[in-house]
C-alpha cells in the first residue's frame, strides 16, 4: 500500500459526459501528479500540482483540468468525454516537487 | 520529454530462472527508478539509483546505474510466479523549472511454472 488513495476504482460513463477523479496523496506529500495509461500509450504525464499550485503540464487535453485543494487532495476533471479517453488514470505523490513518486491504485475509466 | 528505450518488450521465463532487462536513453540521467506494475494496479517503486555505477539490491532484485549515465539494468534472480507484471524504468528530466518523470514502455514478464 503506497499510501496514495484514489476514488472511484472504476467509472463507466457515456460519450459527452463529464467525470471527476479524486486523489489523496501520502501523508506529508505536497506534490500530486496525474498520469494516463492507455493500452498503446504507456504512462503519459498529464499535470502536476505542488502545494496547491500548478507546477507542470504534460500532454493534457484542454477538455481536462485539475486542481489541488488546501488539504492537498486533488481532483482531475474530464469533460466532453470521447471513446479514446477510456484508460487507467493514476495519481502519484511525492514529498517535494522533485522526489520519488508513489502511485495510487488508479481509476479505470470506460467511456461507452 | 526525454525518451527511454526499454527492452525486451516481453519475456517468458521458467520459474527459478534469472531475468535481466535494461533501459537506455540518448540523454544523461542523474537518477534512475524502477517500478513494477501488477495487472490493474498502480506502479510500485522497486529501486531508486542516484549515482553512476551504483549497484543496489532489494531482495532478489538488483539494479545498476550505468557508468555512462545513459542506461540502467534490472536483474531478478530465481524468479517466482509473483514476479509476473510489467517493469518500468523511469528517469527525471526538467520541463522548465519542474522536474518530471519519463517512463520507458515497459517489459512484460511472464513466469511459467
Amino acid at each position: 500500500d503506497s499510501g496514495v488513495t484514489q476514488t472511484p476504482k472504476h467509472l463507466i460513463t457515456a460519450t459527452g459526459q463529464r467525470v471527476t477523479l479524486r486523489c489523496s496523496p501520502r501523508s506529508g506529500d505536497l506534490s500530486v501528479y496525474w498520469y494516463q495509461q492507455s493500452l498503446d500509450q504507456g504512462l503519459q504525464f498529464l499535470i502536476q500540482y505542488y502545494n496547491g499550485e500548478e507546477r507542470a503540464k504534460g500532454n493534457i487535453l484542454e477538455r481536462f483540468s485539475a486542481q489541488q485543494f488546501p488539504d492537498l487532495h486533488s481532483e482531475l476533471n474530464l469533460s466532453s468525454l470521447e471513446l479514446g479517453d477510456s484508460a487507467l488514470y493514476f495519481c502519484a505523490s511525492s514529498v517535494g516537487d522533485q522526489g520519488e513518486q508513489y502511485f495510487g491504485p488508479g481509476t479505470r475509466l470506460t467511456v461507452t | 520529454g526525454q525518451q527511454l528505450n526499454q527492452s525486451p518488450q516481453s519475456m517468458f521465463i521458467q520459474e527459478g530462472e534469472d531475468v535481466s532487462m535494461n533501459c537506455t536513453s540518448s540523454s544523461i540521467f542523474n537518477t534512475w527508478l524502477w517500478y513494477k506494475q501488477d495487472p490493474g494496479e498502480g506502479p510500485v517503486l522497486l529501486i531508486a539509483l542516484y549515482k553512476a555505477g551504483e549497484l543496489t539490491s532489494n531482495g532478489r532484485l538488483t539494479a545498476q546505474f550505468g557508468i555512462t549515465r545513459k542506461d540502467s539494468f534490472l536483474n531478478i534472480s530465481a524468479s517466482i510466479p509473483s514476479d509476473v507484471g510489467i517493469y518500468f524504468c523511469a528517469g527525471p528530466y526538467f520541463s522548465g523549472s519542474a522536474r518530471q518523470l519519463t517512463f520507458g514502455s515497459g517489459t512484460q514478464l511472464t513466469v511459467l511454472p
Side-chain angles (χ1 to χ4, degrees):
Chain A
D1 184 354
S2 67
V4 179
T5 61
Q6 288 186 249
T7 56
K9 181 82 171 164
H10 301 278
L11 199 48
I12 301 175
T13 189
T15 54
Q17 295 299 304
R18 172 190 169 95
V19 296
T20 297
L21 312 184
R22 183 188 167 103
C23 168
S24 292
R26 295 187 316 161
S27 177
D29 285 0
L30 298 179
S31 267
V32 169
Y33 309 78
W34 286 97
Y35 290 86
Q36 180 191 57
Q37 187 178 41
S38 306
L39 275 175
D40 58 349
Q41 292 282 334
L43 276 161
Q44 299 293 317
F45 168 68
L46 295 178
I47 197 165
Q48 177 199 359
Y49 278 81
Y50 174 73
N51 204 20
E53 298 200 355
E54 183 183 302
R55 190 85 171 95
K57 262 186 175 177
N59 300 319
I60 188 166
L61 299 172
E62 285 192 14
R63 300 183 286 109
F64 297 179
S65 64
Q67 53 185 325
Q68 187 178 28
F69 294 87
D71 67 353
L72 300 177
H73 90 270
S74 178
E75 292 181 355
L76 179 66
N77 301 296
L78 314 176
S79 62
S80 302
L81 285 167
E82 302 174 359
L83 294 176
D85 297 327
S86 296
L88 275 165
Y89 290 84
F90 289 105
C91 164
S93 74
S94 65
V95 173
D97 66 347
Q98 299 187 12
E100 280 63 52
Q101 296 177 24
Y102 294 86
F103 283 78
T107 293
R108 180 175 292 281
L109 174 66
T110 303
V111 182
T112 62
Chain B
Q2 305 298 320
Q3 293 272 56
L4 293 181
N5 299 306
Q6 193 170 346
S7 65
Q9 194 171 18
S10 63
M11 301 182 76
F12 291 80
I13 61 168
Q14 294 292 140
E15 185 176 352
E17 287 184 348
D18 297 344
V19 173
S20 186
M21 59 192 79
N22 70 77
C23 202
T24 62
S25 169
S26 57
S27 304
I28 288 173
F29 282 87
N30 56 23
T31 301
W32 284 95
L33 306 173
W34 284 93
Y35 287 85
K36 182 196 176 197
Q37 184 176 22
D38 291 331
E41 302 292 329
V44 174
L45 182 62
L46 299 174
I47 293 179
L49 302 161
Y50 303 103
K51 210 161 63 169
E54 180 181 353
L55 191 70
T56 298
S57 293
N58 178 6
R60 293 176 297 104
L61 276 61
T62 301
Q64 183 161 24
F65 194 141
I67 56 173
T68 66
R69 295 169 62 191
K70 292 183 177 182
D71 57 8
S72 180
F73 303 86
L74 177 70
N75 297 308
I76 306 173
S77 63
S79 58
I80 59 178
S82 63
D83 290 334
V84 166
I86 303 176
Y87 291 80
F88 291 99
C89 61
Y93 69 96
F94 280 90
S95 174
S97 60
R99 179 184 184 268
Q100 300 305 319
L101 281 184
T102 187
F103 286 82
S105 53
T107 294
Q108 171 78 61
L109 178 64
T110 302
V111 179
L112 304 170

